[in-house]
Amino acid sequence: MNTTFSLENKNIVLTGATGFFGRTFAKGILDAGANKLVIIDINSENLNSFSKELKGLYGDDRVLAYALDQNDHEKASEIYEEISTSIKIHGLVNNSFNFSEKTGFNTNEGRLENATYDQLKASFDSGIYWAIQSTQAFGLLMKNQGNGSIVNVCSMYAVVVPSPKLYEDTDKFNPPGYSMSKAGLLQFTRYSASFLSPQVRVNAISPGAIPNLGADSYNAITDNDPVLK
């Protein structure tokens, strides 16, 4: 990783750190030489375990961990202030999202004909507002200090729709609120890039299908959907 780019002497904040993407991002950031990585996640047990793993690999002094439910906006503000007053922040990765029945995932209640206001609101909160609040806290701070970078984790479903064929005869489902929120996050990326520039770069990545399963299962899915090949 350090032959691709360097984060030497940089301090980075990563939300959703214990998820499928988050774990890879965390190790990539540290492999790239980050001075300190601040990992944030709602699951304190997973966070503590992952923090110990990272400290064992990269050193105790390079990893800071904060358990946080980002739906608690007041607590989030307190923790963001605590982080920003303890170390200088150079980068932010907004990676967290509430993948659960609360946002309509993998439940019949999340389908278009059944989606509720509460599900859509939860998708907005976790998919857009969490990134807005952290950007307000760290993005404006980086703008005032004269440099910084933000990466928002969007999805290909911000610009295309999932094929219903993917979910035939399965108990899995991708709800409308997810596409809605990721599209909103993509537009917020453009907006904040305009208003935080030129001091702060703001970019989004929109991954395609990267399922957390074996190659055989992935091939079985994509063989039935040429869009994903």
Side-chain angles (χ1 to χ4, degrees), residues 55-125:
K55 289 179 179 180
L57 292 170
Y58 300 98
D60 290 348
D61 60 337
R62 295 182 65 192
V63 179
L64 301 173
Y66 289 86
L68 171 65
D69 179 352
Q70 288 176 272
N71 284 313
D72 187 339
H73 303 151
E74 183 176 351
K75 185 64 175 180
S77 292
E78 293 174 359
I79 286 181
Y80 296 158
E81 183 176 1
E82 179 180 341
I83 293 169
S84 60
T85 54
S86 61
I87 59 174
K88 184 177 181 179
I89 299 301
H90 303 93
L92 166 67
V93 181
N94 285 311
N95 173 61
S96 53
F97 185 86
N98 184 354
F99 289 100
S100 73
E101 290 189 2
K102 186 174 182 179
T103 54
F105 268 88
N106 299 330
T107 173
N108 188 57
E109 285 69 29
R111 297 180 184 275
L112 176 60
E113 61 272 23
N114 300 324
T116 66
Y117 171 81
D118 287 340
Q119 287 174 351
L120 296 173
K121 173 89 164 41
S123 296
F124 169 84
D125 288 343

Side-chain angles (χ1 to χ4, degrees), residues 184-197:
L185 181 58
L186 188 59
Q187 185 58 25
F188 177 68
T189 300
R190 298 185 181 102
Y191 185 94
S192 51
S194 177
F195 280 83
L196 293 176
S197 66

